[in-house]
Amino acid sequence: MNVQSRMHAFLRSSPLRYYFHLAKARLAGSPQSDESVILSQIVGQSPKTFLEFGFHPTEYNCIGLSEFSGLLVDGDATTVRLARSLLPKRIEVRQSFIDLNNIESLATHFPQLGVLSVDVDGNDYWFLQALLPVRPAVIVAEYNASFGLNPVTVPYDPSFDRAAKHESGWYHGASITALTQLCNSHGYKLVAVSAAGGNLFFLPQTVALPGLEPVEAYRESALRNGWSGTTAREQWERIKHMPFVTVS
């Protein structure tokens, strides 16, 4: 484990994390980029419910949906404990290490789902594939900008841990091309990408908004490029030897 990983592990287990998020919550939380703005523009008359897999107590994609009931799911006990102490009662928080055997039961938590958000830093493609039959009104999915436009995803692994898979932490999830092709095949189109290059937004093909192609919508990850001092091309060169599933 490198110095950065040890520091991250220490902060996650330290009581200081609780007080940091408590103070942040008092000042109002936020998504990582402009996700709240995009959602407010496209959510329309969707059911006022959301289901989000993978979150931080004061930093998650659906945080701006103040009139919605929600279910937040994460496998980290500390994250869940913090969220339960900070978030309003209209949002249920559940600790669960999701896999393809239990994710469908969570998907039916709401009779009608307004917003589905998937950001688990691992099996994102496979979980989204399993959830699409629920027919959410809006889909938010994290893409891995380090994969560029290559139509790839990591292979499914029920115990996926990106820190254990590759020391860089860049090997996880799926590319913008792979996720767009998946959603297209289920009747959804890409309509927006977050400014920081992290999340994709999909709506049904029947919605009037124009669709986007990955080649025109792709953005590198501003956060990852910033803290690593590398570009997406350099990141890909470092992980391209790893196992991938090509999506067609």
Side-chain angles (χ1 to χ4, degrees):
M1 184 180 290
N2 59 30
V3 174
Q4 183 181 19
S5 297
R6 287 198 298 269
M7 180 63 71
H8 181 69
F10 169 75
L11 290 174
R12 286 182 67 85
S13 62
S14 168
L16 292 175
R17 183 179 183 225
Y18 174 83
Y19 293 107
F20 168 77
H21 283 296
L22 182 63
K24 187 175 180 181
R26 294 291 182 265
L27 297 172
S30 65
Q32 287 188 331
S33 181
D34 57 343
E35 287 84 0
S36 286
V37 174
I38 295 173
L39 277 176
S40 70
Q41 294 171 341
I42 67 174
V43 74
Q45 300 301 311
S46 74
K48 294 186 181 301
T49 58
F50 71 80
L51 172 60
E52 184 156 348
F53 292 95
F55 70 95
H56 296 285
T58 56
E59 190 176 275
Y60 56 96
N61 292 330
C62 295
I63 199 168
L65 301 177
S66 58
E67 298 181 357
F68 283 53
S69 297
L71 173 61
L72 296 172
V73 183
D74 198 274
D76 182 71
T78 303
T79 294
V80 170
R81 180 176 64 86
L82 284 169
R84 285 174 176 164
S85 67
L86 297 174
L87 298 179
K89 298 300 182 184
R90 62 182 174 79
I91 300 177
E92 181 181 346
V93 183
R94 189 176 302 182
Q95 182 186 1
S96 178
F97 292 95
I98 57 174
D99 57 33
L100 291 179
N101 292 320
N102 64 17
I103 196 168
E104 290 186 20
S105 63
L106 292 167
T108 57
H109 182 78
F110 296 109
Q112 292 184 305
L113 183 56
V115 180
L116 168 66
S117 176
V118 180
D119 177 1
V120 297
D121 292 340
N123 294 309
D124 303 64
Y125 180 93
W126 308 107
F127 292 159
L128 181 57
Q129 184 180 60
L131 292 165
L132 278 166
V134 178
R135 304 304 298 172
V138 181
I139 296 169
V140 187
E142 184 189 51
Y143 72 100
N144 188 339
S146 301
F147 294 172
L149 291 170
N150 299 295
V152 296
T153 177
V154 298
Y156 175 69
D157 180 350
S159 59
F160 195 98
D161 179 352
R162 81 183 220 182
K165 289 288 186 180
H166 193 274
E167 67 277 6
S168 68
W170 299 334
Y171 177 72
H172 63 88
S175 71
I176 183 174
T177 306
L179 291 169
T180 301
Q181 289 180 359
L182 173 63
C183 289
N184 286 169
S185 70
H186 284 75
Y188 291 87
K189 59 185 174 183
L190 177 64
V191 297
V193 181
S194 60
N199 285 289
L200 308 174
F201 297 80
F202 298 92
L203 291 175
Q205 293 282 3
T206 53
V207 173
L209 284 176
L212 302 172
E213 294 298 326
V215 68
E216 63 179 313
Y218 171 79
R219 293 188 176 102
E220 296 194 20
S221 171
L223 295 175
R224 179 168 293 179
N225 288 9
W227 67 255
S228 70
T230 63
T231 65
R233 182 182 295 276
E234 292 169 324
Q235 294 154 22
W236 174 247
E237 287 298 316
R238 188 168 171 185
I239 58 176
K240 67 180 183 181
H241 66 284
M242 298 291 288
F244 288 97
V245 175
T246 299
V247 177
S248 57

